[in-house]
């Protein structure tokens, strides 16, 4: 007769296994998805799961999809797909409750139907797991505003269904993976606020990409090339881009571009004439670079779509480009802190004070910090405070008393500072 002795640990295991099988049999949620949710919660620090947060309501004694929006599983995930009679988890969107911990690598192995993973604006740290590539149906991945570190996994480039990728405001370093060219469905890419270095890879194959922000990093190389023609907005301010802007960037090929911000870099050479002839470009910001000249477009900007242009804090020299005073839609122009000389073009004064019919007046005209000389054009003298934001301080103007609002906030340069920029009068 065999022994009937059963250890306490064996008995406990039998009870646990039986309850697990019973839970699977009665559950509306596929057991693997429950496992994935458990692993996700396990990766976070218990001490950061505060009362009232989404994760505090994840109590796995009941079925997740059956209890969603009840007193259990009140928020944080979504079940809206039934496969073979079982509910599948399609979205995880945690609240911004200050969760700490890491993104569980194993959790990504159990949620194959996940379309949205949003853990943004918490305090998660550690590396981004390479197992994210298992989430092949993922359309939106948002890890913004955490403390993820290490390099961006190359495996993310295999997520061909991904439409939105947010890795901004973390502590990521290394280069942008060349594998990103495989993100065929990507529409929006945000990488700003990290420590990313190296050159921007060729993204020309991303035919659906409309928005790219890689600001506040350490990206080097020349102005970005290999960009898709679908781009509407590109922002790469505060990086280490350098070289000749007019030779590098192919703005002509970006037929839908509306906004470009390459400020706070080390770009040099000329501002290319194509930016004043582009069929859709409305806002161009190139402030804080090393640009030295401006190419005049053949049509002198008559068909320009530009509304706002900022070329301040560069090394631009010569006369102020008069054609900018007749660009029909330009209403905000900043040319501060350059080395422009000569008189203020009458076109600027007229556009600010008495614009011609069908053209936008200057709502902002900032010309301070140059070496402009001569009298202030009459139309500007007629401007009333509050009618436009105009600044002519820190120049070499003949007379600019603070009784005029556009002279307030600074004095004109000394005669000594202005002397080297005086016009040369030919002698006969």
């Amino acid at each position: 007769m065999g022994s009937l002795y059963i250890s306490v640990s064996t008995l406990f295991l039998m009870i646990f296994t039986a309850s697990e099988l019973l839970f699977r049999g009665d559950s509306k949620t596929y057991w693997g998805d429950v496992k994935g949710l458990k692993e996700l919660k396990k990766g976070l620090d218990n001490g950061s799961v505060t009362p009232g947060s989404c994760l505090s309501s994840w109590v796995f004694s009941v079925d997740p999809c059956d209890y969603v929006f009840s007193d259990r599983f009140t928020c944080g995930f979504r079940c809206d797909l039934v496969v073979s009679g079982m509910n599948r988890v399609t979205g995880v969107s945690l609240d911004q409750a200050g969760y700490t911990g890491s993104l569980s690598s194993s959790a990504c192995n159990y949620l194959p139907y996940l379309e949205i993973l949003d853990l943004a604006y918490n305090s998660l740290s550690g590396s981004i797991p390479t197992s994210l590539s298992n989430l092949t149906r993922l359309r939106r991945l948002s890890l913004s505003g955490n403390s993820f570190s290490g390099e961006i996994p190359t495996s993310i480039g295999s997520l061909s269904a991904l439409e939105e990728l947010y890795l901004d405001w973390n502590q990521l370093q290394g280069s942008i993976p060349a594998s990103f060219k495989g993100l065929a469905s990507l529409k929006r890419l945000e990488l700003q606020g990290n420590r990313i270095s190296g050159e921007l890879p060729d993204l020309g194959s991303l035919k659906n990409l409309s928005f790219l922000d890689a600001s506040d990093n350490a990206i080097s190389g020349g102005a970005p090339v290999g960009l898709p023609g679908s781009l509407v907005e590109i922002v790469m301010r505060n990086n280490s881009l350098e070289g000749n802007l007019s030779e590098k960037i192919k703005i002509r090929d970006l037929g839908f571009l509306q906004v470009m911000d390459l400020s706070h870099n080390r770009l040099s050479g000329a501002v290319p004439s194509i930016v004043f002839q582009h069929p859709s470009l409305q806002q161009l910001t190139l402030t804080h670079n090393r640009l030295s000249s401006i190419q005049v477009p053949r049509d002198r900007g008559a068909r320009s779509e530009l509304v706002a242009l900022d070329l301040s804090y560069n090394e631009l020299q010569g006369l102020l480009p008069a054609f900018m005073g007749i660009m029909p839609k330009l209403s905000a122009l900043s040319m501060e802190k350059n080395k422009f000389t000569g008189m203020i073009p009458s076109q600027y004064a007229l556009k600010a004070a008495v614009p011609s019919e069908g053209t936008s007046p200057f709502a902002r005209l900032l010309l301070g910090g140059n070496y402009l000389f001569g009298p202030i054009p009459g139309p500007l003298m007629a401007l009333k405070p509050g009618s436009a934001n105009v600044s002519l301080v820190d120049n070499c103007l003949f007379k600019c008393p603070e009784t005029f609002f556009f002279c307030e906030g600074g004095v004109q340069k000394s005669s000594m500072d202005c002397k080297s920029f005086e016009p040369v009068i030919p002698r006969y």
Side-chain angles (χ1 to χ4, degrees), residues 54-65:
C54 284
L55 282 180
S56 68
S57 71
W58 288 19
V59 179
F60 291 98
S61 60
V62 297
D63 176 77
C65 292

Side-chain angles (χ1 to χ4, degrees), residues 355-409:
S356 58
E357 187 177 353
T359 65
S360 299
F362 275 138
R364 182 167 70 244
L365 178 61
L366 307 180
L367 304 178
N370 285 286
Y371 294 86
L372 304 173
F373 60 81
I376 299 173
L380 285 181
M381 302 288 282
L383 281 176
K384 303 295 183 183
S387 59
N389 179 12
V390 179
S391 177
L392 305 179
V393 301
D394 190 24
N395 276 289
C396 300
L397 296 169
F398 173 67
K399 191 175 183 181
C400 196
E402 289 198 0
T403 52
F404 299 117
F405 73 93
F406 43 76
C407 298
E408 294 177 352

Side-chain angles (χ1 to χ4, degrees), residues 264-373:
H264 294 268
N265 282 285
R266 296 195 292 269
L267 298 170
S268 58
V271 180
S273 60
I274 181 58
V275 302
F276 306 108
Q277 298 173 296
H278 196 278
S280 60
L281 187 61
Q282 298 176 20
Q283 181 177 325
L284 178 62
T285 307
L286 297 173
T287 181
H288 288 88
N289 276 288
R290 300 174 180 173
L291 300 167
S292 57
S293 62
I294 298 173
Q295 293 179 353
V296 179
R298 290 183 179 180
D299 66 354
R300 304 185 67 79
R303 292 175 292 179
S304 176
E305 293 293 316
L306 274 175
V307 174
L309 175 63
D310 191 344
L311 299 177
S312 58
Y313 290 88
N314 276 284
E315 299 173 6
L316 298 168
Q317 304 180 44
L319 304 178
L320 285 171
F323 75 88
M324 292 182 182
I326 60 173
M327 290 169 60
K329 296 183 180 181
L330 189 64
S331 62
L333 176 62
S334 181
M335 306 286 264
E336 292 184 296
K337 299 295 182 179
N338 280 287
K339 298 177 181 178
F340 288 114
T341 186
M343 294 192 293
I344 299 172
S346 59
Q347 292 91 335
Y348 285 31
L350 291 171
K351 188 174 176 62
V354 284
S356 58
E357 187 177 353
T359 65
S360 299
F362 275 138
R364 182 167 70 244
L365 178 61
L366 307 180
L367 304 178
N370 285 286
Y371 294 86
L372 304 173
F373 60 81

